[in-house]
Amino acid sequence: MGTFHDDKGELHGITVLVRTNGPRIYVGRCDHMNEAGILLLDADSHDDGQEGQSNAQFLENAKQWGHWPRIKAIEIPAKDIAEVTRLGQA
């Protein structure tokens, strides 16, 4: 039997895409999400146009090859979040 984290929400342990209200997106493993925001572990971020790549291109690469976990942990406040989806459904 594994350890269960019923208090962490349905996305706990799932790799998700977080679209912000600005040009930045995040991809990472969801630890928990609540009314305050979301905590991602082993995450990466991308600003639209960064390194000559659109967010759509970055997302396609992340879906096909995975993302580079440059950010150990990041909390994104709820006020900055436009959408959270499973990476596979993005």
Side-chain angles (χ1 to χ4, degrees), residues 46-54 57-58 70:
H46 184 79
D47 290 322
D48 200 30
Q50 180 181 333
E51 298 176 359
Q53 192 176 47
S54 71
Q57 290 168 315
F58 175 84
R70 294 181 175 108

Side-chain angles (χ1 to χ4, degrees), residues 15-75:
T15 301
V16 297
L17 163 67
V18 178
R19 293 186 191 275
T20 67
N21 295 317
R24 181 166 292 173
I25 60 174
Y26 294 90
V27 175
R29 187 168 35 89
C30 178
D31 181 73
H32 67 271
M33 188 168 76
N34 57 32
E35 64 280 345
I38 189 168
L39 174 61
L40 297 181
L41 304 176
D42 302 322
D44 197 5
S45 67
H46 184 79
D47 290 322
D48 200 30
Q50 180 181 333
E51 298 176 359
Q53 192 176 47
S54 71
N55 280 348
Q57 290 168 315
F58 175 84
L59 183 56
E60 284 307 310
N61 284 336
K63 288 168 67 175
Q64 185 173 2
W65 306 106
H67 68 285
W68 189 261
R70 294 181 175 108
I71 305 167
K72 180 82 174 153
I74 186 165
E75 291 185 55

